Amino acid sequence: MELPYAEPFKIKMIETIRRSTRSEREEWISKANFNLFNLRSEQVFVDLLTDSGTGAMSDLQWAEIMKGDESYAGSASYYKLKAAVKDIFGYDYFLPTHQGRAAENVLFSVLVKEGNLVPGNSHFDTTKGHIEFRKAHAIDCTIDEAFDTTVDHPFKGNVDLGKLEAVLKNNPKESIPFIIVTLTCNSSGGQPVSLENLRQVSALAKKYGIMLLYDSARYAENAYFIKKREPGQQNRSIKEIVADMYALADGMTMSSKKDGIVNIGGFIGLKDAGIFEQASVFNIMFEGFVTYGGMAGRDMAALSQGLYEALDYNFLEARVGQVAYLGKLLTSYGVPVQMPYGGHAIFIDANKILPHIPKEQFRAQTLAVELYIEGGVRGVEIGAIMADRDPVTHENRYPDLELVRLAIPRRVYTNNHMEYVAAAVANVFERRSSVTCGMEIEYEAQILRHFTVRLKRTAALMAHAK
Ligand SMILES: *Cc1c(COP(=O)(O)O)cnc(C)c1O
């Protein structure tokens, strides 16, 4: 028979995690104001809050930690990372930052002005936050298929070229500082963008004289999907595909906490010397000198190794395979999840599970809380709480999708953990009609409210509410 994939590593060190009782979890989540971000990690058994900064480093990365050069200026680890960025992405200009949103803050300080429009495919929440904080607008041009969780489209992260061109054509060029394409598209479910789509977006960007940037957190997973799903790409290496993808753009922001497989870090990559020079000033103000940008030398060194490990086909096959393993289990239990399965996470469709909870009572958040109580599994709401209020009208925004994201950290959990998680989700799914209270907001911050929101259970569900 054909041999299945298996993780291309064995385990050298373990970290103990503990199970808790349901009554303990009831108490903890109530004290946490029903916000899963407020839980202590010891109160969580399987932590699928995020795949960001939660991955396990390799022995070679830990070796790099020891080799890190902590010089304030001109660190050898900076040059090693700069060389890796040039080799993998092809960009000559590079600025380290302490994480992805810091890269956004630095670069957008140069590029984004009040009233600007920034088109792209479902902008990530911090990206949108940094755009709206500057009183500019993020315009979502993702293809419509992305918003139907049942449609099985190979590249649901793709940009709708018609929507994009309408924005480019109907607005003055000066009002559009750049187009940003997120790889893979986090907000629409870890869905990839095809190389063909990137080519077309790049062509449109050139036609209208607008810069193209990539929000690059999961560049390697995106390239893996291109290899697996795009005609003509099967026999090419991940590294070759990444090189093609990045040749089409003018720059990148990166959260290294994802496909960099490190616990902290980010960077900016650019082709243009002028923008690099302007960004350097903001980097020094906000992050640190240009050769460390808020990162320790050892962390830059570990990242220079991690960027290459993420390009390993066997790693990607096991990683994406484990996510799909969880997805298939959930599907077999009848749980509605976004199709096809994402690269880093499975997204449970809360609109389909809790349609009897009014959308104003935050279905996905309600489901995420139930899942925690059921099994100590921590996921995250990607729904109306995260969608925040409209910056102009201050009305709540209700996105088409109410999802609970189960993000899988890289190289951390085994498939037994996936089986445990799937069983906990299945139990909640079985008792879904007995979930009769939604959530209401007691306190929210002005921007990025989901991190600190305080919630309480609604008193009782109105009968027949739809
Ligand atoms: C995580 C992430 C960011 C922000 O990066 P941080 O390192 O969390 O600051 C930006 N964009 C995407 C697509 C991300 O996944």
Side-chain angles (χ1 to χ4, degrees):
M1 70 178 98
E2 198 186 330
L3 296 179
Y5 74 82
E7 287 74 10
F9 55 82
K10 53 186 178 174
I11 297 166
K12 207 191 278 274
M13 193 190 287
I14 60 106
E15 182 182 340
T16 301
I17 50 176
R18 286 193 180 76
R19 295 177 71 170
S20 51
T21 64
R22 178 183 285 256
S23 64
E24 283 174 324
R25 294 191 293 270
E26 285 273 9
E27 188 188 325
W28 291 334
I29 194 66
S30 163
K31 286 205 172 120
N33 297 103
F34 299 96
N35 179 343
L36 295 141
F37 286 96
N38 287 338
L39 290 170
R40 291 170 177 244
S41 62
E42 309 95 90
Q43 296 168 340
V44 176
F45 182 52
V46 181
D47 202 347
L48 306 185
L49 181 74
T50 176
D51 64 325
S52 179
T54 53
M57 292 205 295
S58 68
D59 50 353
L60 294 181
Q61 286 181 287
W62 282 106
E64 287 297 330
I65 291 276
M66 294 308 296
K67 287 157 68 185
D69 174 5
E70 305 304 336
S71 305
Y72 189 98
S75 157
S77 304
Y78 161 82
Y79 283 106
K80 188 164 192 173
L81 179 54
K82 181 175 158 63
V85 169
K86 169 72 182 166
D87 179 40
I88 295 171
F89 302 103
Y91 296 156
D92 285 319
Y93 299 99
F94 153 76
L95 284 170
T97 62
H98 80 275
Q99 57 185 87
R101 69 198 67 184
E104 292 164 358
N105 187 33
V106 168
L107 190 56
F108 295 3
S109 291
V110 178
L111 299 174
V112 180
K113 305 278 179 293
E114 184 170 342
N116 280 180
L117 308 174
V118 182
N121 56 345
S122 299
H123 307 60
F124 185 66
D125 59 350
T126 61
T127 316
K128 195 177 196 155
H130 275 294
I131 292 168
E132 293 180 349
F133 182 72
R134 292 174 171 80
K135 298 193 164 56
H137 309 279
I139 301 182
D140 189 351
C141 300
T142 314
I143 56 171
D144 290 335
E145 288 89 333
F147 303 101
D148 183 342
T149 59
T150 59
V151 175
D152 205 342
H153 184 292
F155 292 104
K156 276 186 164 179
N158 277 1
V159 176
D160 184 314
L161 301 164
K163 290 184 197 172
L164 176 62
E165 186 153 21
V167 176
L168 302 183
K169 194 166 23 188
N170 299 329
N171 295 283
K173 188 181 155 194
E174 306 71 53
S175 68
I176 306 172
F178 53 85
I179 301 162
I180 191 157
V181 178
T182 308
L183 308 168
T184 57
C185 191
N186 194 342
S187 308
S188 81
Q191 300 292 332
V193 183
S194 72
L195 192 52
E196 180 58 23
N197 191 250
L198 293 176
R199 286 206 180 97
Q200 291 164 329
V201 170
S202 175
L204 272 183
K206 290 206 171 70
K207 178 174 164 193
Y208 287 89
I210 308 275
M211 260 175 65
L212 174 60
L213 301 181
Y214 293 157
D215 183 357
S216 303
R218 297 179 185 81
Y219 69 97
E221 289 168 12
N222 198 94
Y224 173 80
F225 283 118
I226 287 175
K227 181 178 168 77
K228 296 298 268 194
R229 296 180 183 169
E230 193 158 345
Q233 300 297 323
Q234 278 64 34
N235 297 322
R236 306 187 62 224
S237 72
I238 300 293
K239 190 162 186 274
E240 286 167 339
I241 294 170
V242 169
D244 278 5
M245 287 158 55
Y246 281 81
L248 296 165
D250 302 290
M252 66 189 290
T253 53
M254 174 74 185
S255 168
S256 308
K257 303 168 72 173
K258 318 317 187 336
D259 279 351
I261 332 183
V262 291
N263 303 117
I264 196 72
F267 62 85
I268 296 166
L270 289 165
K271 286 182 179 168
D272 185 90
I275 297 171
F276 167 76
E277 268 169 23
Q278 287 172 270
S280 297
V281 177
F282 289 104
N283 216 56
I284 292 167
M285 272 200 324
F286 297 151
E287 294 295 295
F289 184 60
V290 293
T291 63
Y292 75 90
M295 288 183 78
R298 63 181 79 97
D299 289 327
M300 291 192 284
L303 173 57
S304 68
Q305 171 68 20
L307 288 173
Y308 283 106
E309 291 183 9
L311 297 177
D312 174 22
Y313 178 79
N314 292 310
F315 157 70
L316 287 166
E317 186 181 39
R319 155 131 189 93
V320 176
Q322 183 175 53
V323 174
Y325 181 72
L326 175 60
K328 282 177 201 150
L329 284 172
L330 291 175
T331 303
S332 76
Y333 297 147
V335 177
V337 298
Q338 173 156 48
M339 298 302 292
Y341 308 128
H344 67 288
I346 294 298
F347 294 74
I348 306 171
D349 189 338
N351 280 335
K352 292 214 176 75
I353 299 178
L354 299 175
H356 53 285
I357 304 276
K359 71 179 192 317
E360 293 79 8
Q361 294 181 14
F362 308 114
R363 289 170 184 154
Q365 182 66 19
T366 303
L367 186 63
V369 166
E370 289 301 325
L371 178 59
Y372 171 70
I373 292 169
E374 182 67 32
V377 176
R378 175 157 66 170
V380 73
E381 186 246 27
I382 309 249
I385 295 179
M386 185 185 266
D388 246 313
R389 290 175 188 273
D390 185 285
V392 179
T393 67
H394 297 287
E395 292 296 319
N396 273 312
R397 290 190 277 214
Y398 294 101
D400 296 338
L401 297 180
E402 279 284 335
L403 302 170
V404 174
R405 184 186 75 178
L406 302 177
I408 316 296
R410 291 165 186 75
R411 309 190 288 206
V412 170
Y413 290 114
T414 68
N415 281 3
N416 282 329
H417 291 111
M418 298 303 114
E419 285 169 22
Y420 175 93
V421 169
V425 176
N427 287 349
V428 174
F429 183 62
E430 282 300 306
R431 61 175 174 80
R432 62 191 180 279
S433 58
S434 70
V435 178
T436 52
C437 304
M439 293 284 150
E440 94 191 58
I441 293 179
E442 282 193 316
Y443 159 82
E444 62 183 281
Q446 294 259 332
I447 204 158
L448 297 175
R449 68 180 179 183
H450 55 286
F451 289 117
T452 53
V453 69
R454 293 200 285 272
L455 298 154
K456 63 177 186 186
R457 282 201 169 108
T458 54
L461 184 63
M462 295 163 287
H464 311 299
K466 271 264 141 57

